């Protein structure tokens, strides 16, 4: 091929600024279309990640029961009148609490038709696991819409790539990561994307899975859970790992609390970091 016939420099210059995917979702028309797409979701279409008591008294059982623990989980800060971006809303238990506290909520989750990142264990077929993961993610997304409809709360939803978020997301007072960083191969990139959209405060709540080691601040290790949970469990963290990541992103004023949800028999140890610019 004639090298002069192809503008190599131009090609890479143009590709570097290529439009980010999944834009245009925050329009009223798109939000109405999302609601219509999920309007016929029923209980048997759902998998509930959180235990939720619906307004009619029915209890949807999930692996995590945060009932009565919302304030601690969200760091105890006032959300009234704030715009909030919640990453990984699962079944909507915290979404309802956030809206109930007076916030204007937008949630961000996996693209429709996609599943979570799969840890490449040697004894699995990644393609088959990805198909299964997409099916599970769809049932989990259904549970969020089911919960939203049952409680009638108002929130917008965006589905996209957490590592390369749409360029029309706008700005938010607060962003929240509730127990999803363990599921991401590149947690710092996800936080970096969120930081670019966050005016004031970032909140991380997650499992404390590694003890503090003074000579190894910011400790992370590759996830050690066995399959099938380990397929989507990338990392174990010390609390200081989150602290350092947030400081690097300009959120240096931090309040850190340790807590456990009392409604759960094993009372898993958790940390919440509320970090301000």
């Amino acid at each position: 091929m004639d090298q002069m016939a192809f503008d190599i420099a131009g090609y890479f210059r143009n590709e570097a600024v290529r439009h980010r995917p999944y834009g245009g979702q925050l329009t009223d028309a798109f939000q109405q279309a999302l609601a219509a797409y999920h309007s016929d979701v029923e209980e048997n279409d759902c998998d509930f990640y959180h235990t939720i008591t619906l307004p009619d008294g029915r209890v949807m059982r999930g692996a995590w029961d945060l009932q009565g623990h919302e304030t601690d989980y969200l760091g105890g800060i006032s959300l009234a009148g704030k715009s909030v971006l919640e990453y990984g809303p699962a079944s909507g238990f915290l979404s309802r609490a956030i809206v109930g506290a007076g916030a204007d909520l937008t949630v961000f989750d996996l693209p429709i038709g996609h599943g979570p990142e799969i840890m490449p264990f040697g004894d699995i077929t990644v393609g088959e696991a990805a198909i299964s993961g997409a099916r599970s993610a769809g049932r989990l997304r259904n549970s969020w819409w089911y919960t939203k409809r049952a409680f009638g709360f108002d929130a917008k939803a965006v589905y996209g790539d957490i590592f390369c978020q749409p360029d029309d997301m706008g700005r938010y007072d607060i962003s929240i990561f509730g127990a999803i960083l363990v599921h991401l191969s590149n947690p710092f990139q996800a936080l970096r994307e969120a930081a670019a959209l966050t005016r004031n405060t970032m909140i991380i709540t997650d499992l404390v899975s590694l003890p503090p080691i003074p000579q190894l601040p910011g400790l992370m290790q590759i996830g050690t859970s066995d399959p099938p949970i380990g397929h989507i469990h990338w990392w174990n963290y010390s609390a200081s790992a989150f602290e350092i990541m947030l400081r690097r992103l300009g959120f240096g004023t931090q309040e850190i609390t340790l807590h456990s949800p009392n409604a759960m028999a094993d009372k898993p140890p958790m940390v919440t970091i509320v970090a301000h610019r």
Side-chain angles (χ1 to χ4, degrees), residues 59-117:
V59 179
M60 303 292 105
R61 296 290 179 189
W64 283 83
D65 190 346
L66 302 177
Q67 295 181 109
H69 197 67
E70 299 93 323
T71 299
D72 287 341
Y73 194 98
L74 295 171
I77 69 170
S78 174
L79 300 176
K82 305 295 186 182
S83 57
V84 174
L85 181 57
E86 180 193 7
Y87 289 91
S91 297
F93 177 80
L94 290 169
S95 302
R96 181 187 64 83
I98 292 166
V99 174
D104 178 14
L105 177 65
T106 299
V107 302
F108 189 98
D109 214 336
L110 290 163
I112 292 175
H114 291 248
E117 292 187 283

Side-chain angles (χ1 to χ4, degrees), residues 151-165:
F151 284 95
F153 64 77
D154 187 28
K156 293 181 178 179
V158 175
Y159 299 103
D161 182 351
I162 198 168
F163 302 127
C164 184
Q165 295 172 34

Side-chain angles (χ1 to χ4, degrees), residues 13-198:
R13 185 170 55 250
N14 292 334
E15 285 297 299
V17 296
R18 188 164 58 87
H19 186 71
R20 288 169 172 245
Y22 305 116
Q25 295 187 48
L26 287 171
T27 65
D28 290 342
F30 196 94
Q31 290 298 306
Q32 291 166 9
L34 278 176
Y37 182 85
H38 297 92
S39 63
D40 59 352
V41 166
E42 300 296 341
E43 182 182 340
N44 61 3
D45 301 315
C46 302
D47 288 333
F48 284 85
Y49 185 83
H50 298 118
T51 295
I52 298 174
T53 302
L54 298 177
D56 62 9
R58 288 181 299 137
V59 179
M60 303 292 105
R61 296 290 179 189
W64 283 83
D65 190 346
L66 302 177
Q67 295 181 109
H69 197 67
E70 299 93 323
T71 299
D72 287 341
Y73 194 98
L74 295 171
I77 69 170
S78 174
L79 300 176
K82 305 295 186 182
S83 57
V84 174
L85 181 57
E86 180 193 7
Y87 289 91
S91 297
F93 177 80
L94 290 169
S95 302
R96 181 187 64 83
I98 292 166
V99 174
D104 178 14
L105 177 65
T106 299
V107 302
F108 189 98
D109 214 336
L110 290 163
I112 292 175
H114 291 248
E117 292 187 283
I118 303 298
M119 169 73 78
F121 284 89
D123 59 348
I124 67 168
T125 302
V126 173
E128 292 177 1
I131 292 170
S132 175
R135 186 180 306 112
S136 296
R139 291 181 59 82
L140 185 60
R141 185 184 67 253
N142 285 346
S143 72
W144 186 86
W145 285 93
Y146 189 87
T147 299
K148 181 179 186 293
R149 186 175 68 199
F151 284 95
F153 64 77
D154 187 28
K156 293 181 178 179
V158 175
Y159 299 103
D161 182 351
I162 198 168
F163 302 127
C164 184
Q165 295 172 34
D167 58 8
D168 59 355
M169 288 288 294
R171 299 269 288 170
Y172 301 83
D173 297 319
I174 300 169
S175 60
I176 298 173
F177 284 78
I180 69 165
L181 292 178
V182 297
H183 301 303
L184 303 177
S185 63
N186 191 342
F188 186 79
Q189 176 61 19
L191 290 173
R192 187 178 184 180
E193 289 279 306
L197 307 178
T198 305

